[in-house]
Each structure stands twice: as C-alpha cells, then as structure tokens.
PDB file of all heavy atoms in Angstrom:
ATOM      1  N   GLY B  10      94.923 112.787  89.710  1.00  0.00           N
ATOM      2  CA  GLY B  10      95.608 111.586  89.231  1.00  0.00           C
ATOM      3  C   GLY B  10      97.032 111.870  88.800  1.00  0.00           C
ATOM      4  O   GLY B  10      97.945 111.070  89.037  1.00  0.00           O
ATOM      5  N   PHE B  11      97.244 113.032  88.155  1.00  0.00           N
ATOM      6  CA  PHE B  11      98.601 113.402  87.735  1.00  0.00           C
ATOM      7  C   PHE B  11      99.511 113.606  88.948  1.00  0.00           C
ATOM      8  O   PHE B  11     100.650 113.129  88.983  1.00  0.00           O
ATOM      9  CB  PHE B  11      98.547 114.682  86.895  1.00  0.00           C
ATOM     10  CG  PHE B  11      99.903 115.222  86.522  1.00  0.00           C
ATOM     11  CD1 PHE B  11     100.647 114.624  85.526  1.00  0.00           C
ATOM     12  CD2 PHE B  11     100.426 116.339  87.170  1.00  0.00           C
ATOM     13  CE1 PHE B  11     101.902 115.116  85.181  1.00  0.00           C
ATOM     14  CE2 PHE B  11     101.661 116.840  86.837  1.00  0.00           C
ATOM     15  CZ  PHE B  11     102.415 116.225  85.840  1.00  0.00           C
ATOM     16  N   VAL B  12      99.020 114.298  89.968  1.00  0.00           N
ATOM     17  CA  VAL B  12      99.819 114.524  91.177  1.00  0.00           C
ATOM     18  C   VAL B  12     100.136 113.194  91.860  1.00  0.00           C
ATOM     19  O   VAL B  12     101.280 112.952  92.303  1.00  0.00           O
ATOM     20  CB  VAL B  12      99.075 115.475  92.137  1.00  0.00           C
ATOM     21  CG1 VAL B  12      99.790 115.551  93.485  1.00  0.00           C
ATOM     22  CG2 VAL B  12      98.948 116.853  91.522  1.00  0.00           C
ATOM     23  N   ALA B  13      99.141 112.316  91.937  1.00  0.00           N
ATOM     24  CA  ALA B  13      99.377 111.011  92.567  1.00  0.00           C
ATOM     25  C   ALA B  13     100.415 110.210  91.789  1.00  0.00           C
ATOM     26  O   ALA B  13     101.275 109.532  92.384  1.00  0.00           O
ATOM     27  CB  ALA B  13      98.062 110.239  92.656  1.00  0.00           C
ATOM     28  N   ALA B  14     100.349 110.306  90.446  1.00  0.00           N
ATOM     29  CA  ALA B  14     101.333 109.583  89.631  1.00  0.00           C
ATOM     30  C   ALA B  14     102.737 110.116  89.855  1.00  0.00           C
ATOM     31  O   ALA B  14     103.706 109.345  89.933  1.00  0.00           O
ATOM     32  CB  ALA B  14     100.944 109.688  88.154  1.00  0.00           C
ATOM     33  N   VAL B  15     102.892 111.444  89.974  1.00  0.00           N
ATOM     34  CA  VAL B  15     104.211 112.040  90.221  1.00  0.00           C
ATOM     35  C   VAL B  15     104.750 111.606  91.581  1.00  0.00           C
ATOM     36  O   VAL B  15     105.935 111.264  91.740  1.00  0.00           O
ATOM     37  CB  VAL B  15     104.122 113.579  90.122  1.00  0.00           C
ATOM     38  CG1 VAL B  15     105.430 114.218  90.608  1.00  0.00           C
ATOM     39  CG2 VAL B  15     103.823 114.008  88.701  1.00  0.00           C
ATOM     40  N   VAL B  16     103.868 111.599  92.589  1.00  0.00           N
ATOM     41  CA  VAL B  16     104.295 111.182  93.924  1.00  0.00           C
ATOM     42  C   VAL B  16     104.743 109.724  93.913  1.00  0.00           C
ATOM     43  O   VAL B  16     105.792 109.362  94.489  1.00  0.00           O
ATOM     44  CB  VAL B  16     103.158 111.409  94.937  1.00  0.00           C
ATOM     45  CG1 VAL B  16     103.514 110.791  96.293  1.00  0.00           C
ATOM     46  CG2 VAL B  16     102.874 112.890  95.095  1.00  0.00           C
ATOM     47  N   LEU B  17     103.970 108.869  93.264  1.00  0.00           N
ATOM     48  CA  LEU B  17     104.340 107.454  93.192  1.00  0.00           C
ATOM     49  C   LEU B  17     105.639 107.251  92.425  1.00  0.00           C
ATOM     50  O   LEU B  17     106.469 106.395  92.780  1.00  0.00           O
ATOM     51  CB  LEU B  17     103.201 106.659  92.544  1.00  0.00           C
ATOM     52  CG  LEU B  17     101.936 106.487  93.392  1.00  0.00           C
ATOM     53  CD1 LEU B  17     100.836 105.829  92.565  1.00  0.00           C
ATOM     54  CD2 LEU B  17     102.237 105.652  94.630  1.00  0.00           C
ATOM     55  N   LEU B  18     105.827 108.044  91.348  1.00  0.00           N
ATOM     56  CA  LEU B  18     107.068 107.940  90.597  1.00  0.00           C
ATOM     57  C   LEU B  18     108.265 108.336  91.456  1.00  0.00           C
ATOM     58  O   LEU B  18     109.312 107.665  91.456  1.00  0.00           O
ATOM     59  CB  LEU B  18     107.002 108.829  89.351  1.00  0.00           C
ATOM     60  CG  LEU B  18     108.261 108.847  88.462  1.00  0.00           C
ATOM     61  CD1 LEU B  18     108.554 107.443  87.939  1.00  0.00           C
ATOM     62  CD2 LEU B  18     108.082 109.837  87.308  1.00  0.00           C
ATOM     63  N   GLY B  19     108.107 109.429  92.210  1.00  0.00           N
ATOM     64  CA  GLY B  19     109.188 109.835  93.111  1.00  0.00           C
ATOM     65  C   GLY B  19     109.474 108.794  94.170  1.00  0.00           C
ATOM     66  O   GLY B  19     110.651 108.505  94.489  1.00  0.00           O
ATOM     67  N   TYR B  20     108.416 108.203  94.703  1.00  0.00           N
ATOM     68  CA  TYR B  20     108.605 107.158  95.712  1.00  0.00           C
ATOM     69  C   TYR B  20     109.331 105.953  95.127  1.00  0.00           C
ATOM     70  O   TYR B  20     110.221 105.368  95.771  1.00  0.00           O
ATOM     71  CB  TYR B  20     107.242 106.739  96.260  1.00  0.00           C
ATOM     72  CG  TYR B  20     107.282 105.553  97.180  1.00  0.00           C
ATOM     73  CD1 TYR B  20     107.734 105.684  98.490  1.00  0.00           C
ATOM     74  CD2 TYR B  20     106.882 104.288  96.747  1.00  0.00           C
ATOM     75  CE1 TYR B  20     107.790 104.591  99.343  1.00  0.00           C
ATOM     76  CE2 TYR B  20     106.934 103.189  97.590  1.00  0.00           C
ATOM     77  CZ  TYR B  20     107.383 103.346  98.888  1.00  0.00           C
ATOM     78  OH  TYR B  20     107.442 102.263  99.729  1.00  0.00           O
ATOM     79  N   ALA B  21     108.957 105.582  93.873  1.00  0.00           N
ATOM     80  CA  ALA B  21     109.608 104.439  93.231  1.00  0.00           C
ATOM     81  C   ALA B  21     111.088 104.714  92.991  1.00  0.00           C
ATOM     82  O   ALA B  21     111.940 103.837  93.188  1.00  0.00           O
ATOM     83  CB  ALA B  21     108.892 104.110  91.919  1.00  0.00           C
ATOM     84  N   VAL B  22     111.416 105.940  92.543  1.00  0.00           N
ATOM     85  CA  VAL B  22     112.819 106.275  92.282  1.00  0.00           C
ATOM     86  C   VAL B  22     113.626 106.259  93.571  1.00  0.00           C
ATOM     87  O   VAL B  22     114.743 105.695  93.633  1.00  0.00           O
ATOM     88  CB  VAL B  22     112.907 107.655  91.595  1.00  0.00           C
ATOM     89  CG1 VAL B  22     114.372 108.121  91.513  1.00  0.00           C
ATOM     90  CG2 VAL B  22     112.294 107.591  90.212  1.00  0.00           C
ATOM     91  N   VAL B  23     113.104 106.858  94.626  1.00  0.00           N
ATOM     92  CA  VAL B  23     113.813 106.869  95.915  1.00  0.00           C
ATOM     93  C   VAL B  23     113.994 105.454  96.445  1.00  0.00           C
ATOM     94  O   VAL B  23     115.072 105.077  96.947  1.00  0.00           O
ATOM     95  CB  VAL B  23     113.056 107.760  96.926  1.00  0.00           C
ATOM     96  CG1 VAL B  23     113.679 107.635  98.311  1.00  0.00           C
ATOM     97  CG2 VAL B  23     113.057 109.204  96.463  1.00  0.00           C
ATOM     98  N   SER B  24     112.952 104.642  96.344  1.00  0.00           N
ATOM     99  CA  SER B  24     113.046 103.259  96.814  1.00  0.00           C
ATOM    100  C   SER B  24     114.088 102.480  96.024  1.00  0.00           C
ATOM    101  O   SER B  24     114.822 101.645  96.586  1.00  0.00           O
ATOM    102  CB  SER B  24     111.679 102.570  96.706  1.00  0.00           C
ATOM    103  OG  SER B  24     110.724 103.224  97.509  1.00  0.00           O
ATOM    104  N   LYS B  25     114.170 102.761  94.726  1.00  0.00           N
ATOM    105  CA  LYS B  25     115.167 102.083  93.900  1.00  0.00           C
ATOM    106  C   LYS B  25     116.583 102.482  94.319  1.00  0.00           C
ATOM    107  O   LYS B  25     117.493 101.638  94.384  1.00  0.00           O
ATOM    108  CB  LYS B  25     114.918 102.438  92.438  1.00  0.00           C
ATOM    109  CG  LYS B  25     115.924 101.835  91.461  1.00  0.00           C
ATOM    110  CD  LYS B  25     115.772 100.329  91.388  1.00  0.00           C
ATOM    111  CE  LYS B  25     116.692  99.734  90.329  1.00  0.00           C
ATOM    112  NZ  LYS B  25     116.590  98.259  90.270  1.00  0.00           N
ATOM    113  N   LEU B  26     116.764 103.758  94.625  1.00  0.00           N
ATOM    114  CA  LEU B  26     118.105 104.241  94.989  1.00  0.00           C
ATOM    115  C   LEU B  26     118.565 103.684  96.323  1.00  0.00           C
ATOM    116  O   LEU B  26     119.753 103.397  96.515  1.00  0.00           O
ATOM    117  CB  LEU B  26     118.120 105.775  95.022  1.00  0.00           C
ATOM    118  CG  LEU B  26     117.932 106.475  93.657  1.00  0.00           C
ATOM    119  CD1 LEU B  26     117.879 107.988  93.846  1.00  0.00           C
ATOM    120  CD2 LEU B  26     119.063 106.089  92.704  1.00  0.00           C
ATOM    121  N   VAL B  27     117.643 103.516  97.254  1.00  0.00           N
ATOM    122  CA  VAL B  27     118.018 103.019  98.589  1.00  0.00           C
ATOM    123  C   VAL B  27     117.953 101.499  98.651  1.00  0.00           C
ATOM    124  O   VAL B  27     118.226 100.913  99.699  1.00  0.00           O
ATOM    125  CB  VAL B  27     117.121 103.636  99.673  1.00  0.00           C
ATOM    126  CG1 VAL B  27     117.254 105.144  99.683  1.00  0.00           C
ATOM    127  CG2 VAL B  27     115.662 103.221  99.495  1.00  0.00           C
ATOM    128  N   GLY B  28     117.542 100.901  97.539  1.00  0.00           N
ATOM    129  CA  GLY B  28     117.522  99.447  97.494  1.00  0.00           C
ATOM    130  C   GLY B  28     116.378  98.822  98.243  1.00  0.00           C
ATOM    131  O   GLY B  28     116.492  97.669  98.695  1.00  0.00           O
ATOM    132  N   GLY B  29     115.272  99.512  98.381  1.00  0.00           N
ATOM    133  CA  GLY B  29     114.138  98.973  99.135  1.00  0.00           C
ATOM    134  C   GLY B  29     112.965  98.562  98.267  1.00  0.00           C
ATOM    135  O   GLY B  29     111.843  98.470  98.757  1.00  0.00           O
ATOM    136  N   THR B  30     113.193  98.346  96.997  1.00  0.00           N
ATOM    137  CA  THR B  30     112.091  97.987  96.103  1.00  0.00           C
ATOM    138  C   THR B  30     111.699  96.529  96.290  1.00  0.00           C
ATOM    139  O   THR B  30     112.552  95.649  96.438  1.00  0.00           O
ATOM    140  CB  THR B  30     112.485  98.234  94.644  1.00  0.00           C
ATOM    141  OG1 THR B  30     113.668  97.471  94.356  1.00  0.00           O
ATOM    142  CG2 THR B  30     112.741  99.698  94.391  1.00  0.00           C
ATOM    143  N   VAL B  31     110.385  96.282  96.307  1.00  0.00           N
ATOM    144  CA  VAL B  31     109.849  94.930  96.394  1.00  0.00           C
ATOM    145  C   VAL B  31     108.773  94.789  95.319  1.00  0.00           C
ATOM    146  O   VAL B  31     107.875  95.625  95.217  1.00  0.00           O
ATOM    147  CB  VAL B  31     109.253  94.641  97.786  1.00  0.00           C
ATOM    148  CG1 VAL B  31     108.624  93.245  97.822  1.00  0.00           C
ATOM    149  CG2 VAL B  31     110.313  94.777  98.853  1.00  0.00           C
ATOM    150  N   ALA B  32     108.897  93.779  94.510  1.00  0.00           N
ATOM    151  CA  ALA B  32     107.901  93.560  93.462  1.00  0.00           C
ATOM    152  C   ALA B  32     106.556  93.274  94.110  1.00  0.00           C
ATOM    153  O   ALA B  32     106.398  92.257  94.800  1.00  0.00           O
ATOM    154  CB  ALA B  32     108.329  92.414  92.556  1.00  0.00           C
ATOM    155  N   GLY B  33     105.604  94.173  93.902  1.00  0.00           N
ATOM    156  CA  GLY B  33     104.294  94.025  94.559  1.00  0.00           C
ATOM    157  C   GLY B  33     103.159  94.001  93.556  1.00  0.00           C
ATOM    158  O   GLY B  33     102.927  94.973  92.829  1.00  0.00           O
ATOM    159  N   TRP B  34     102.459  92.868  93.493  1.00  0.00           N
ATOM    160  CA  TRP B  34     101.349  92.731  92.551  1.00  0.00           C
ATOM    161  C   TRP B  34     100.136  93.531  93.019  1.00  0.00           C
ATOM    162  O   TRP B  34      99.445  94.162  92.232  1.00  0.00           O
ATOM    163  CB  TRP B  34     101.001  91.252  92.433  1.00  0.00           C
ATOM    164  CG  TRP B  34      99.828  90.989  91.539  1.00  0.00           C
ATOM    165  CD1 TRP B  34      99.830  90.855  90.194  1.00  0.00           C
ATOM    166  CD2 TRP B  34      98.466  90.807  91.953  1.00  0.00           C
ATOM    167  NE1 TRP B  34      98.576  90.621  89.731  1.00  0.00           N
ATOM    168  CE2 TRP B  34      97.698  90.587  90.805  1.00  0.00           C
ATOM    169  CE3 TRP B  34      97.827  90.820  93.196  1.00  0.00           C
ATOM    170  CZ2 TRP B  34      96.330  90.373  90.832  1.00  0.00           C
ATOM    171  CZ3 TRP B  34      96.456  90.612  93.230  1.00  0.00           C
ATOM    172  CH2 TRP B  34      95.723  90.395  92.070  1.00  0.00           C
ATOM    173  N   THR B  35      99.870  93.556  94.315  1.00  0.00           N
ATOM    174  CA  THR B  35      98.674  94.220  94.852  1.00  0.00           C
ATOM    175  C   THR B  35      98.697  95.715  94.587  1.00  0.00           C
ATOM    176  O   THR B  35      97.697  96.312  94.147  1.00  0.00           O
ATOM    177  CB  THR B  35      98.556  93.970  96.363  1.00  0.00           C
ATOM    178  OG1 THR B  35      98.535  92.566  96.603  1.00  0.00           O
ATOM    179  CG2 THR B  35      97.285  94.592  96.908  1.00  0.00           C
ATOM    180  N   SER B  36      99.864  96.338  94.840  1.00  0.00           N
ATOM    181  CA  SER B  36      99.946  97.782  94.636  1.00  0.00           C
ATOM    182  C   SER B  36      99.781  98.151  93.169  1.00  0.00           C
ATOM    183  O   SER B  36      99.136  99.152  92.821  1.00  0.00           O
ATOM    184  CB  SER B  36     101.286  98.300  95.158  1.00  0.00           C
ATOM    185  OG  SER B  36     102.368  97.664  94.487  1.00  0.00           O
ATOM    186  N   THR B  37     100.310  97.324  92.284  1.00  0.00           N
ATOM    187  CA  THR B  37     100.188  97.595  90.845  1.00  0.00           C
ATOM    188  C   THR B  37      98.723  97.531  90.406  1.00  0.00           C
ATOM    189  O   THR B  37      98.226  98.403  89.693  1.00  0.00           O
ATOM    190  CB  THR B  37     101.019  96.589  90.043  1.00  0.00           C
ATOM    191  OG1 THR B  37     102.387  96.670  90.459  1.00  0.00           O
ATOM    192  CG2 THR B  37     100.926  96.876  88.554  1.00  0.00           C
TER     193      THR B  37
END
C-alpha cells in the first residue's frame, strides 16, 4: 500500500506539472 501510494503521488505530481489533471470521483 505504501509503494502504491508513492506511485500515485508521483503520478499526480507529474500530471499536475504537465497540466493533465482531471478531477475524477471514481479513481478517488
């Protein structure tokens, strides 16, 4: 779970930097 959380955090940061973030209720 810790590794998955780190991966998701990295994905969220990269997506934020490239401007590809989409508010998603299902994924949350």
